[in-house]
Amino acid sequence: MLPQDPHILLSYVNTRLRDGSAGLEDFCAEQDVDQDWLESTLAAAGYRYRPEQNRFA
């Protein structure tokens, strides 16, 4: 289960992206997470996925 707090979720996702996922799509498949949900949840907290950096910022 992913963290529900968006700031903790951001930290968790960015760490996983940095440490082994090839990209957001791969991360979501590995974690069985809906990519639209993840992006909208983090967007509501002011974060957007940066594919060139493979992270949310």
Side-chain angles (χ1 to χ4, degrees):
M1 182 171 205
L2 294 176
Q4 297 303 302
D5 179 277
H7 304 289
I8 295 171
L9 178 62
L10 170 73
S11 178
Y12 176 80
V13 170
N14 278 344
T15 298
R16 295 295 304 260
L17 288 169
R18 180 193 70 217
D19 291 347
S21 294
L24 184 57
E25 189 174 317
D26 288 338
F27 169 81
C28 290
E30 292 166 1
Q31 297 293 310
D32 194 28
V33 174
D34 180 71
Q35 185 171 336
D36 291 332
W37 172 84
L38 181 60
E39 289 187 271
S40 66
T41 299
L42 291 176
Y47 302 106
R48 301 258 185 254
Y49 180 65
R50 312 280 187 208
E52 65 279 356
Q53 300 172 343
N54 194 31
R55 64 176 287 210
F56 282 88

